[in-house]
């Protein structure tokens, strides 16, 4: 089973700053890596899929990069509504399954 | 716009079977190309993939839950369902149904989630 490790666990920043979140896989996932944002009491919201593709309606300040085992989600200039928990997720074919990272909490400094 | 809605009991007794149904609107399960999935989130914790079903009935389950999980589909009702047997307090969680695209990594549509508590 592929394990995803996210860092840092908590990131404290101010609005307007740049946020860089990391996700490392225990083995290569190619580009089958997605990022989600979750706010309290809500379902996760897809931000990025296949490592670098923005989902429909996602602002351009969100970007994803990486391949293989190391991935990054960047938020170029934080808006107040961006403070939330972020999860990475991979999909593997053999065995066919999905796993999630443990999450990074982005909090207001 | 695809929408998913979970339904089922919010309270289940230990050792019993948890049963949830997901109703899909705005799109057909039978259209193919998607994996209809169940994902759960323990209170205050991260996300755990439970398994998925394809419209044909093919299923894949998380190995850690495989012995207790059954996912089924009813294409005539545009619904798919989850059964989790022999539940304990450790199965208390918010359960989400979701649509995963078969050709990519994305899980693009999620239900709102339903809290299931296991308690006597």
């Amino acid at each position: 089973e592929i394990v995803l490790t996210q860092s840092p666990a908590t990131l404290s920043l101010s609005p307007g700053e740049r946020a860089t979140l990391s996700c490392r896989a225990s083995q290569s996932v190619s580009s089958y890596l997605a990022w989600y944002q979750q706010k309290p009491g809500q379902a996760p919201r897809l931000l990025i899929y296949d490592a670098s593709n923005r989902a429909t309606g996602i602002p351009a300040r969100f970007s994803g990069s990486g391949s293989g085992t190391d991935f990054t989600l960047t938020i170029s200039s934080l808006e107040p509504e961006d403070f939330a928990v972020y999860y990475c997720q991979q999909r593997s074919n053999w065995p066919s399954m999905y796993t999630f990272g443990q999450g990074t909490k982005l909090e207001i400094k | 716009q695809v929408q998913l809605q979970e339904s089922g009991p919010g309270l289940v007794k230990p050792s019993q079977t948890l049963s949830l149904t997901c109703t899909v609107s705005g799109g057909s399960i039978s259209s193919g190309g998607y994996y209809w999935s169940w994902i759960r989130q323990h209170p205050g914790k991260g996300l755990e993939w439970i398994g998925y079903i394809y419209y044909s009935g093919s299923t894949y389950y998380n190995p850690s839950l495989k012995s207790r999980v059954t996912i089924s589909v009813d294409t005539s009702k545009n619904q798919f369902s989850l059964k989790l047997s022999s539940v304990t307090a450790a199965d208390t969680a918010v359960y989400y149904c979701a649509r995963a695209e078969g050709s990519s990594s994305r899980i693009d549509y999620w239900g709102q989630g339903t809290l299931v508590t296991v308690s006597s």
Side-chain angles (χ1 to χ4, degrees):
Chain A
E1 176 183 334
I2 296 175
V3 176
L4 298 178
T5 302
Q6 293 186 241
S7 61
T10 303
L11 184 58
S12 300
L13 294 170
S14 301
E17 290 193 293
R18 182 184 186 90
T20 303
L21 287 68
S22 176
C23 179
R24 176 165 288 180
S26 59
Q27 61 190 83
S28 177
V29 300
S30 184
S31 294
Y32 281 132
L33 195 286
W35 291 93
Y36 300 83
Q37 176 194 69
Q38 188 178 34
K39 296 180 179 179
Q42 296 184 15
R45 172 194 181 197
L46 175 67
L47 300 174
I48 302 289
Y49 66 97
D50 293 351
S52 61
N53 296 291
R54 260 191 312 276
T56 303
I58 300 304
R61 64 180 182 273
F62 291 91
S63 63
S65 63
S67 66
T69 61
D70 289 298
F71 299 86
T72 300
L73 173 69
T74 301
I75 309 172
S76 59
S77 179
L78 286 165
E79 298 288 341
E81 62 267 27
D82 297 337
F83 292 92
V85 178
Y86 291 82
Y87 294 97
C88 60
Q89 163 252 310
Q90 69 84 26
R91 171 202 161 174
S92 58
N93 287 326
W94 297 105
S96 185
M97 66 179 293
Y98 296 76
T99 54
F100 294 87
Q102 82 279 17
T104 289
K105 182 180 181 180
L106 179 57
E107 64 178 23
I108 299 177
K109 187 173 181 179
Chain B
Q1 177 80 347
V2 174
Q3 293 184 310
L4 297 93
Q5 178 68 58
E6 305 89 353
S7 60
L11 181 64
V12 181
K13 288 182 167 50
S15 80
Q16 293 191 342
T17 296
L18 178 160
S19 297
L20 295 174
T21 295
C22 182
T23 300
V24 179
S25 58
S28 173
I29 286 179
S30 300
S31 61
Y34 299 101
Y35 299 144
W36 302 94
S37 305
W38 289 98
I39 296 159
R40 70 180 182 179
Q41 186 169 35
H42 295 102
K45 302 296 184 183
L47 298 159
E48 179 182 31
W49 174 74
I50 298 170
Y52 66 72
I53 190 164
Y54 196 56
Y55 79 98
S56 62
S58 298
T59 54
Y60 291 90
Y61 302 136
N62 187 325
S64 68
L65 297 169
K66 187 175 182 179
S67 63
R68 299 194 291 130
V69 172
T70 303
I71 298 176
S72 58
V73 65
D74 186 338
T75 54
S76 67
K77 294 182 179 179
N78 221 30
Q79 296 175 333
F80 62 106
S81 299
L82 168 71
K83 291 189 185 299
L84 181 66
S85 64
S86 304
V87 297
T88 70
D91 294 308
T92 293
V94 174
Y95 286 77
Y96 295 99
C97 59
R99 187 184 85 167
E101 188 178 71
S103 60
S104 77
S105 58
R106 62 180 161 181
I107 303 174
D108 53 1
Y109 290 99
W110 297 65
Q112 65 185 25
T114 187
L115 174 63
V116 178
T117 301
V118 179
S119 175
S120 55

